[in-house]
Each structure stands twice: as C-alpha cells, then as structure tokens.
Amino acid sequence: MIYFDNAATTYPKPEAVYNKMDQFYREFGVNAGRGAYERAKKGAKLIEDTRSKVASIFKAGGDKEVIFTPSATIAINLILQGLDWKDGDVIYYSPFEHNAVLRTLYKLEENYNLVLKEIPVNNLTLEFNLVDLEQMFASEKPRLVALSHVSNVCGVIAPVEEVVKLARKYGGSILVDGAQGAGLVPIDLSEVDYYVWTGHKTLYGPFGIAGVVVDKKATNLTPLIYGGTGSASEEREMPIETPIRYEAGSSNIQAIAGLNVALDWLEEVGSKEVFEHEKKLTLKLIDILAEFMDINLFIPKDLDTHFNVVAANFSGYKPHEVGKILDEKFDIAVRAGLHCSPRVHEFLGTMPNGLVRFSLGCFNTEEEVDKLKGVLDSFLI
C-alpha cells in the first residue's frame, strides 16, 4: 500500500514505537502511580519523563504545564467546557476548524448564549485578513480565539503569532488546535494560553495519548472528568494541584511509553529534517497534480503558509469514486469526503461531497509520488 492519509494518522510508526509497545505489558504492565512498589514507581517516572519531553519539543518554558488526555478532542473539550463562560462572551474561530472545536462551540453557544464570529479569510487565496480581524476585535472584544494551527483539509498554516498579538491587544485568550503539525511546524507558545497536540499524528506516536500545553496562569479550568488520581483519596473534591487535577483515572501508560520513544526518535532524526522532507514531497505532489487539467487544487496561494496536505477535486468524478479507484485498483490510500471539517467545505464551496485529500508523512518517498502520476495518467485520459 502507498499511504497518503497521514493527516488522519501517520503510518507507519518508527520501529522503536512498535518495539516499545510490544515490550511494554511484559515488563511494565502495572498501574503507574497507584502503588509504592518498584514497577509502579517506574511507571510514574515514565509519565513525568514523557511530560518533560513534550514540553521540550514545544520549547515550553517553566510558565507552561503539560496536561495529558486520551485524545486531542478531549483536550479541546477540557478547555472549552472548563472555562467560566459569561452570557454574551465572544468567541472567534477560523473557517478551518475541525468538528472537535466546532461542535463544542455550537453546544456552548446554545448553553451559555455565546456569540460566535468567524475570522475573515479570502476563500480564493486562503489568506487571513488581519486588518478586518482587528476591526472586528475593536468592535466586539474576544473572550477567546480558537485557531487551527494547520488545516487538516487545505494544509493552511495559520498566522498564529499575528493573531495572538491582536487578541492580546483586545484582552482575548488563545486556543490553538495543533493536532496537525504539532512538533514539526514551528510555533512560539510564549503567548498562547492553550496549545492542543496529539501523539498519533506529526509526533509519530500511538493513538491514546494527547494533551494540551497550558499557560499556568490559565489553569483555572473546571475539570472535565472527576475521579481517582492516586493521591489525596480521602478528599471529596478533585486536587487543586495540576496537572493531576485534570488527569483523573488510570493513565494510558502503554501509549505514553510509545510516545516517549517516538519523541526520542523525532529528536534523533530532527523535527526540522522531517518537516523539510515532508515539505519537499508536498511541493512535488502539487507540481504533479497541477499538470492535470481535470484536477483542481485547494491550497493557499502562498505555499510558504502551507504544509503536507493537498486537497483536490477531479472533474467527472465524485471524491469517494476517486478514493475507491485508488484503493481498489492501485492500493493507494487517500481520504475522500468532508474530513470532519464541514465548515471548510462550505467556505470552499465543495459541499456536500467534499474533496480528495492527499497527506504526506516522513516515510513517504519520491518514488511513491512519481507512481501516483502514472496512476493518474492511466484513468484520467
């Protein structure tokens, strides 16, 4: 199989991840932090070591806290449902948001009478209009700005630093959904209140471990989940200490072990080198797809603001038809449809069928991209 669906999850994983997770339950299969015996203590140490490695890869200083969650969706819900909302609070969001953000915002709008405003973006060039955005902020000050770091449909890299400066000017907080691009696409987290990441995508780890890098001044969230934390069990309330206040229940220590070695691998290979490899392949893919008159690409005009996701429609074919042909006839995996991001497709005018998405990863090769050209030649004649 040629795998061009890395935006869903990177595949394959580094060999060290497979080896560590296979080994894990044989040697460390106990409940971390829930006992004073040696293996439980080793498990707790592994959690804290991994927490430090996550902070390191994001260059998160001592004013930041790393909270673990089972998925990026749960991390987003922890933040959005944990804030102390007031009637009429204004939330700004980009047209590139995933349903993990959008559906949560719609529910909060219903529950708290919030005001949702979309950040202005040019639907042809996919450029953010920061001048108009500042005018919007001046008119209706933001309580929160929710911003997808990298679009899972168009690969657009949001101008996070510029939006952060504007939001700060008008008293707003910032939530960045970094599920796509975390660890590879550079970002300055110094002024970001909440940065969500997941282990199974651009960090090349397993499913089951994700989280949020939180500004310590912003850790006044109401917990999303209540339960055991392994300490202060006699107390009726959740501990006030972070991060355990937000990590009730047994930790997915196997997934944490896999992420731990994935982060070691990424440091050894070099996140910059992985980024540049994926960027090079993406540019090659764009050049190949652009050769076909029957293919229309949905990518930003400025490719410096683009990363590893290329969405397209094919004249005469519905997206799912292209996906089926590539899979059944050529063993090529792509993602067709709405990509859990319907607002993007409304914005692009590609509802209700969506687009065909190609997304590249570290283990893709130039030969695979070249093979795609031959495949497209064979059925787009």
Side-chain angles (χ1 to χ4, degrees):
M1 178 179 66
I2 295 177
Y3 185 76
F4 290 146
D5 193 23
N6 287 277
T9 190
T10 47
Y11 179 82
K13 306 298 182 185
E15 190 63 27
V17 174
Y18 295 129
N19 291 338
K20 184 66 175 182
M21 295 187 72
D22 180 60
Q23 168 206 23
F24 173 79
Y25 274 122
R26 304 175 194 277
E27 298 184 12
F28 290 95
V30 300
N31 202 335
R34 298 302 199 268
Y37 49 91
E38 190 61 25
R39 290 195 183 185
K41 290 191 289 185
K42 282 185 177 180
K45 185 177 184 300
L46 176 62
I47 292 173
E48 295 315 308
D49 181 56
T50 308
R51 204 186 302 277
S52 295
K53 289 179 180 179
V54 170
S56 177
I57 199 166
F58 294 131
K59 298 180 174 58
D63 58 339
K64 301 292 183 181
E65 187 93 75
V66 176
I67 297 168
F68 286 145
T69 62
S71 71
T73 297
I74 292 174
I76 288 165
N77 274 266
L78 168 65
I79 299 154
L80 292 179
Q81 297 201 52
L83 287 166
D84 179 21
W85 297 108
K86 303 290 191 300
D87 186 276
D89 279 343
V90 182
I91 303 176
Y92 289 84
Y93 64 96
S94 85
F96 303 112
E97 299 312 309
H98 188 278
N99 268 342
V101 170
L102 287 178
R103 285 178 171 168
T104 313
L105 290 183
Y106 296 150
K107 185 61 179 174
L108 292 172
E109 179 186 34
E110 177 185 320
N111 289 351
Y112 296 101
N113 193 31
L114 304 182
V115 178
L116 304 185
K117 296 280 186 179
E118 188 169 283
I119 295 171
V121 177
N122 185 305
N123 66 352
L124 297 178
T125 65
L126 307 187
E127 294 173 297
F128 283 66
N129 189 330
L130 299 177
V131 173
D132 284 357
L133 181 60
E134 180 163 16
Q135 292 177 349
M136 293 173 71
F137 283 179
S139 175
E140 294 184 271
K141 290 181 172 53
R143 167 74 190 278
L144 180 77
V145 180
L147 198 60
S148 179
H149 190 188
V150 179
S151 167
N152 74 315
V153 177
C154 306
V156 177
I157 302 172
V160 174
E161 292 182 24
E162 292 88 340
V163 175
V164 164
K165 288 177 183 176
L166 289 180
R168 283 283 181 258
K169 181 177 178 180
Y170 292 94
S173 299
I174 299 289
L175 161 62
V176 178
D177 176 2
Q180 305 290 336
L184 298 186
V185 180
I187 186 170
D188 178 4
L189 294 186
S190 60
E191 293 296 323
V192 174
D193 298 281
Y194 312 102
Y195 185 78
V196 171
W197 55 273
T198 189
H200 74 92
K201 296 194 180 188
T202 43
L203 295 180
Y204 286 86
F207 287 103
I209 182 63
V212 55
V213 180
V214 184
D215 191 304
K216 286 182 179 177
K217 293 179 292 186
T219 50
N220 56 345
L221 303 166
T222 299
L224 181 66
I225 297 172
Y226 294 78
T229 55
S231 62
S233 298
E234 72 282 2
E235 300 293 335
R236 291 170 60 92
E237 303 292 333
M238 289 292 288
I240 61 170
E241 296 81 16
T242 59
I244 62 168
R245 177 173 175 79
Y246 305 109
E247 294 181 354
S250 299
S251 299
N252 188 345
I253 185 68
Q254 186 189 31
I256 291 172
L259 176 62
N260 188 287
V261 294
L263 293 170
D264 287 342
W265 171 84
L266 194 55
E267 181 180 12
E268 181 180 347
V269 174
S271 57
K272 181 179 179 182
E273 286 70 21
V274 173
F275 175 88
E276 289 176 350
H277 172 73
E278 294 185 17
K279 183 75 172 180
K280 179 182 178 182
L281 287 185
T282 303
L283 292 173
K284 182 181 181 70
L285 174 62
I286 289 170
D287 286 343
I288 286 173
L289 294 176
E291 292 179 15
F292 293 87
M293 295 287 292
D294 293 331
I295 298 178
N296 185 31
L297 302 181
F298 291 79
I299 55 177
K301 180 181 179 181
D302 180 3
L303 292 180
D304 287 339
T305 64
H306 177 259
F307 183 61
N308 86 354
V309 177
V310 182
N313 64 16
F314 289 65
S315 180
Y317 295 88
K318 291 182 179 179
H320 76 272
E321 292 172 336
V322 176
K324 186 175 182 181
I325 291 169
L326 292 177
D327 174 37
E328 295 181 355
K329 293 189 176 181
F330 304 103
D331 201 19
I332 296 175
V334 298
R335 174 83 180 272
L338 300 180
H339 315 99
C340 298
S341 301
R343 177 61 197 122
V344 188
H345 293 280
E346 292 172 353
F347 175 73
L348 297 173
T350 54
M351 290 288 277
N353 296 313
L355 294 166
V356 179
R357 184 184 71 186
F358 301 83
S359 50
L360 301 169
C362 181
F363 296 106
N364 286 124
T365 64
E366 292 194 42
E367 290 74 21
E368 289 177 331
V369 178
D370 285 331
K371 183 174 180 180
L372 176 66
K373 183 180 187 305
V375 165
L376 296 175
D377 278 329
S378 70
F379 80 88
L380 289 180
I381 297 174

